[in-house]
């Protein structure tokens, strides 16, 4: 039953959209109208997590981050397919109706699916997409008054592996 008399449902939706838009724009306009307008250097400064920004905003990002993110998303989306399989595999009526054949088919199908995922992971690993370049260790020329064998003894004493 329409709220506004003899109107179609689409007309009601359009009216509600316009009322919602007018409500939002009215709130923004009212806040713009009554807010204090006192700009100063502190308010006009760039803000970056409480720190003064250094350098340009458009810095170079290592593409390894994107590759790792895409691989992660790929495997996460494929893992989503395990949930429907689990519900079908656990359907007792379907398994009983096929004398257990459906259960073995589902199990075999999942092993094939997980095997293909494993092959994909092995391929990505072999190609080196999961290897992260390690920074070179910077040797310090500081001469410590503590002998280095003391550190080894302390590590051996407190580390029980």
């Amino acid at each position: 039953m329409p709220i506004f008399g003899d109107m179609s449902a689409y007309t009601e939706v359009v009216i509600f959209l316009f009322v919602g838009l007018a409500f939002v724009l009215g709130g923004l306009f009212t806040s713009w109208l009554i807010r204090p307008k006192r700009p100063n250097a502190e308010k006009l400064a760039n803000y970056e997590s409480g720190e003064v920004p250094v350098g340009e905003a458009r810095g170079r990002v290592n593409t390894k981050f994107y590759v790792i993110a895409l691989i992660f998303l790929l495997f996460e989306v494929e893992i989503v397919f395990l949930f429907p399989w689990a519900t079908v595999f656990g359907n007792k009526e379907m398994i009983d109706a096929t004398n257990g054949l459906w259960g073995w088919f589902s199990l075999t199908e999942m092993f094939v699916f997980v095997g293909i995922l494993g092959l994909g992971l092995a391929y990505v690993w072999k190609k080196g997409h999961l290897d992260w370049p390690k920074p070179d260790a910077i040797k310090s020329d500081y001469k410590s008054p503590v002998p280095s064998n003391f550190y080894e003894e302390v590590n051996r004493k407190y580390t029980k592996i």
Side-chain angles (χ1 to χ4, degrees):
M1 178 170 173
I3 296 174
F4 300 111
D6 196 22
M7 270 188 221
S8 73
Y10 294 113
T11 308
E12 288 182 27
V13 170
V14 169
I15 289 173
F16 279 114
L17 284 175
F18 279 129
V19 168
L21 185 65
F23 184 76
V24 170
L25 291 178
L28 289 172
F29 177 73
T30 304
S31 68
W32 175 80
L33 195 62
I34 64 174
R35 73 173 182 228
K37 297 169 184 74
R38 294 186 294 268
N40 58 31
E42 189 74 25
K43 285 183 181 178
L44 297 175
N46 290 336
Y47 180 74
E48 184 178 304
S49 302
E51 300 290 328
V52 177
V54 178
E56 293 183 17
R58 294 181 184 228
R60 290 183 160 234
V61 177
N62 191 351
T63 56
K64 273 273 202 205
F65 290 114
Y66 298 115
V67 172
I68 294 291
L70 287 174
I71 292 169
F72 173 77
L73 284 176
L74 175 72
F75 282 101
E76 284 300 309
V77 168
E78 289 178 352
I79 291 299
V80 168
F81 291 117
L82 290 176
F83 292 112
W85 169 80
T87 58
V88 169
F89 185 68
N91 189 347
K92 185 162 175 45
E93 291 103 21
M94 193 173 285
I95 294 171
D96 290 341
T98 59
N99 295 329
L101 187 62
W102 179 254
W104 286 108
F105 173 73
S106 299
L107 187 62
T108 306
E109 179 186 16
M110 191 43 52
F111 276 125
V112 169
F113 181 74
V114 172
I116 291 171
L117 287 180
L119 285 174
L121 180 62
Y123 174 77
V124 168
W125 197 341
K126 180 73 174 152
K127 284 291 198 177
H129 291 300
L130 299 178
D131 295 336
W132 205 258
K134 295 176 180 68
D136 295 332
I138 300 171
K139 297 279 185 174
S140 174
D141 56 354
Y142 175 73
K143 301 294 184 205
S144 175
V146 179
S148 61
N149 62 355
F150 175 75
Y151 291 116
E152 294 170 8
E153 289 175 22
V154 169
N155 285 337
R156 226 178 291 117
K157 181 179 177 183
Y158 291 106
T159 307
K160 296 181 185 335
I161 297 177

